[in-house]
Structures are given as structure tokens and as C-alpha cells.
Amino acid sequence: MRLEKDAKIYVAGHHGLVGSAIWNNLKQRGYGNLVGRTHRELDLTDQLAVRRFFDEQQPDAVVLAAAFVGGIMANSLYRADFIMMNMKIQCNVISEAYAHGVKKLLFLGSTCIYPKDAPQPMKEECLLTSPLEYTNEEYAIAKIAGLKMCESYNLQYGTNYIAVMPTNLYGPNDNFHLENSHVMPAMMRKIYLAKLIHEQDWQTIVADLNQRPVEGIDGRASRAEVLSVLAKYGIEDNRVTLWGTGTPLREFLWSEDMADASVHVLLNVDFSDIIGIEKYSSVHYGATTTGAVDRNHSAGRGGAIPSLGEIRNCHINVGTGKELTIRQLSELVAGAVGFDGQVVFDASKPDGTMRKLIDVTKLHSLGWTHKVEIEDGVKRLFEWYKGNIES
């Protein structure tokens, strides 16, 4: 299904790492009728607010990039929030997209959906074959529910909702807050702050903390208070302590590459392409002249549609198919920052999943491959981070 250049596209989470990159990619491709709302303007966990938004805007397509996210520490501390917030966001946006006759929906998930001990590289088919990694179980379950919602709406109602599962992302607008950020931006900020402490560059430290306070400590705090709170996160004079052993393997994808893959799928891939059945899309629930969907229309109902057999694992892995250890990543980050101090690993802290490499065969078959390699991407991320510390 083709989206014309004047199609109204709602990007949920358009200020985030992924959403902002998708927004920019759509703009670059000539799609100017974009709609975005900040969390303050629209709380996606509020069902009535989401319904009012869809009533007013009537988007043609939706990119669901909004999520409640964080790293190992945040996942451990806020387990209830991770499952509840994400489930609310997904249920509200997907159900209202259907109720308002949205033509195309793209759901952004995560490769944490796969079992802890899944065979490597992980194919889409290994979903739900064994237990999940405990440290991010709640977030993974929420994302599995989201992709299953898309799959199930397609099978029951003939919709065109596609779920993509990106690997670990990094890039412009990344989250550098130490309390809830992912591994690369957290590591980068820690190493940079340790370097600044060693160089006694308190002007930049103050600017950094004013922009991203740590446990409420900002640039107005005393040096003793600053050093004390940073030490809790393993940041000292020319020395950084990172969680785990440094041996887990991780795959990373530049966020602007992820955006390009997402927009490629949004514009060029239909559900029928993924399941390999050309005529599947002939069974659709059309919108009425008022924009509401006729829920009494019975054609095409019946779950998995017996004549098609079992249809599952319709999501698409998005990544590079390449990996490196956390220790190797720390060396790349230290090199980009110009840090010649000590990086140590605290093996008493959890590593998380030991390996998370995805199989990207399906993505390649749909016509997309990545462009930015990790060595160049780490340098780009540091330049962005350093250039966005407001003095």
C-alpha cells in the first residue's frame, strides 16, 4: 500500500532517539504532513486523551516509536512501570488507530523480546521458544504483546500493521541520563566526566549536570556533592567502573540507519509481503465515510484463517548482523573521548544477556541494509553529545 507525499503521518515519540530520526527521514523523503505531540501535550497512557487526539487528527498512518525505556538498572528498579506504561501506550495507540481507520501502522519493538538462551544469530522464529532474560522481562513481555497485537489485528481485521524489532540503538538525541540510559550513552558520559574531573574542567561538568542532573544534583551543588554522586555511578578522577565482566556481546545500530530502515518498511512493505501471500490484503476492514470502522463486517474474520495455516513471527529484525564485546565497546568509546585513564569492570554486577546478535536475512530480503559501522558511529555520537552540552 502506497502512502502519498501528502499523507498525514503521526509519529508517536517524535522527540525520542528513534522517533526524531524517523521524523527527519520522512521529511527528507518529502513527507511534510507530519504530526507529533510531546508527553506534556499528549499522555499516551491516557486512553481518553489518545481517543480525542485521533478524533481531531485522523492520521492516515502511525509510527509507534513512543516507549518507556531504560537500561539494566532502570529495568531492575521499575519493573511494574516498564510493563504497565508500555502496555498502556501500545493498547491505546493501536486500538485507536484501528478505530479510526488508519491505513498503515509501524510498531517499534526491541530485540530483548527473544529468549535469554536463543540460538545465535536470533531469527524471528525463535520468539517464545524458551524463557526471557530476567533483568528485562517486563519490557520484553510488553513488546511481545505489541507485536502480537499488530499480527492479530492483521489476521482478524485485515489491517496493515507491521512490527520491527531493532537491535541496540545509539545516535543523536540519545538518553545520557545515568539513572535510566542504555549502555553506550551511559558509558560515554561516565568516561567523559571522569576525563573532565581529571582535567579539573569544572565549567563543562557544571554545564553537563545542569542539562542532565544526577539524582537531583546539578551544577549548583558543591564539588564535594558532585564528586560523591558521580562516584555512586563509578565515575572518579581518570577512572570509570562499569557493570559486569565486559564479556557480553552486543550489536549496535546507528539510530539514523534504524530510521531509514523503518521508513523503508513503512513505505514499501505490506503485511502480505512478510507472510508471502499476495492476495491476503484483499480482505480489509474499510473505514466508513465518518472515519469509523465497521466492526460488524464479518468477512475475513476467524483468527489465523484456517486456509492459510498458522501465521506467526511476522515481525522484522532490524540490525547490522555484527557484534562486539562490552569491553571492546568501552575501548572504542575511550578512544573517541580521548580518555587515557582506567576502565574497570565490576563482576559482582549483572551482565544481562551474554549475547544478542540478530539474524537480518528477512530485512535484507525486503531491500534494506545498514550503512554506518560502529567505529564511525561511536565518534559521531560523542561529537553530538559534546556539541549539545549547553554552557
Side-chain angles (χ1 to χ4, degrees):
M1 186 207 75
R2 181 173 176 79
L3 284 176
E4 300 299 330
K5 291 293 176 68
D6 62 350
K8 181 181 282 190
I9 304 174
Y10 167 46
V11 182
H14 73 298
H15 278 177
L17 173 66
V18 177
S20 62
I22 289 175
W23 181 284
N24 291 336
N25 191 284
L26 284 165
K27 285 279 191 184
Q28 290 164 10
R29 292 176 186 244
Y31 287 84
N33 192 9
L34 306 182
V35 180
R37 293 289 184 274
T38 65
H39 176 70
R40 182 175 296 179
E41 293 169 331
L42 175 62
D43 180 358
L44 293 176
T45 67
D46 183 334
Q47 184 178 17
L48 292 178
V50 174
R51 182 171 299 165
R52 284 194 298 269
F53 169 79
F54 274 85
D55 286 344
E56 294 166 2
Q57 295 297 323
Q58 298 290 332
D60 298 304
V62 170
V63 176
L64 180 44
F68 187 78
V69 298
I72 291 177
M73 183 183 295
N75 274 272
S76 299
L77 293 174
Y78 310 118
R79 299 182 73 89
D81 289 346
F82 269 87
I83 191 165
M84 186 61 74
M85 299 285 280
N86 284 298
M87 289 292 290
K88 283 182 176 181
I89 290 169
Q90 294 162 192
C91 287
N92 290 340
V93 173
I94 293 173
S95 64
E96 292 305 324
Y98 170 65
H100 290 81
V102 165
K103 299 172 186 174
K104 191 81 176 276
L105 183 142
L106 186 73
F107 172 72
L108 280 294
S110 166
T111 54
C112 73
I113 62 169
Y114 292 119
K116 179 177 182 178
D117 298 318
Q120 305 286 322
M122 300 179 291
K123 297 179 179 291
E124 286 86 355
E125 291 74 20
C126 72
L127 180 68
L128 297 176
T129 56
S130 61
L132 299 164
E133 161 60 40
Y134 180 75
T135 56
N136 62 9
E137 193 172 41
E138 281 69 21
Y139 184 70
I141 288 171
K143 288 301 175 182
I144 292 169
L147 73 87
K148 284 295 183 182
M149 283 183 221
C150 293
E151 190 177 279
S152 300
Y153 267 82
N154 293 341
L155 292 172
Q156 183 169 346
Y157 297 120
T159 50
N160 201 6
Y161 301 166
I162 299 180
V164 291
M165 300 295 125
T167 189
N168 300 293
L169 299 176
Y170 69 105
N173 297 309
D174 217 331
N175 175 14
F176 287 83
H177 289 273
L178 296 180
E179 294 149 273
N180 60 5
S181 60
H182 283 131
V183 59
M184 191 188 298
M187 180 188 295
M188 186 170 285
R189 189 180 181 197
K190 287 178 180 182
I191 289 174
Y192 188 46
L193 285 171
K195 179 175 185 267
L196 294 175
I197 292 171
H198 183 66
E199 294 173 350
Q200 293 292 296
D201 186 352
W202 283 97
Q203 181 178 349
T204 305
I205 293 171
V206 165
D208 182 86
L209 288 173
N210 280 336
Q211 193 162 343
R212 301 177 183 90
V214 180
E215 294 187 6
I217 298 296
D218 59 20
R220 296 172 296 180
S222 68
R223 292 190 182 186
E225 289 174 314
V226 167
L227 292 174
S228 176
V229 75
L230 293 183
K232 289 175 61 177
Y233 292 85
I235 305 165
E236 301 171 88
D237 183 349
N238 226 28
R239 175 186 167 96
V240 171
T241 303
L242 302 175
W243 277 29
T245 62
T247 57
L249 288 157
R250 288 292 181 270
E251 175 184 13
F252 293 94
L253 180 66
W254 182 246
S255 61
E256 292 172 337
D257 269 357
M258 173 58 203
D260 194 61
S262 298
V263 176
H264 174 81
V265 170
L266 179 69
L267 301 180
N268 301 295
V269 179
D270 292 325
F271 184 63
S272 57
D273 299 320
I274 297 171
I275 63 176
I277 300 173
E278 293 181 3
K279 305 235 175 177
Y280 177 82
S281 56
S282 65
V283 184
H284 271 271
Y285 269 53
T288 68
T289 54
T290 62
V293 172
D294 180 2
R295 294 179 180 274
N296 296 315
H297 183 27
S298 60
R301 289 201 180 193
I305 308 177
S307 62
L308 301 182
E310 289 189 359
I311 295 176
R312 62 179 78 236
N313 303 322
C314 302
H315 56 287
I316 305 167
N317 287 340
V318 180
T320 65
K322 301 179 180 182
E323 62 188 346
L324 77 168
T325 67
I326 296 298
R327 186 178 295 277
Q328 289 171 324
L329 175 64
S330 72
E331 291 166 357
L332 285 179
V333 171
V337 172
F339 179 72
D340 58 5
Q342 189 177 14
V343 176
V344 299
F345 287 86
D346 181 355
S348 70
K349 296 292 194 296
D351 272 323
T353 306
M354 291 306 295
R355 193 180 182 206
K356 285 179 61 178
L357 180 65
I358 56 172
D359 186 300
V360 289
T361 303
K362 184 188 287 188
L363 178 66
H364 289 176
S365 73
L366 293 169
W368 190 91
T369 56
H370 77 282
K371 300 174 184 65
V372 179
E373 300 295 349
I374 185 71
E375 294 82 3
D376 183 40
V378 167
K379 294 174 185 175
R380 290 194 198 186
L381 181 62
F382 179 61
E383 290 305 313
W384 181 90
Y385 168 57
K386 189 170 65 170
N388 282 271
I389 296 175
E390 298 173 1
S391 56

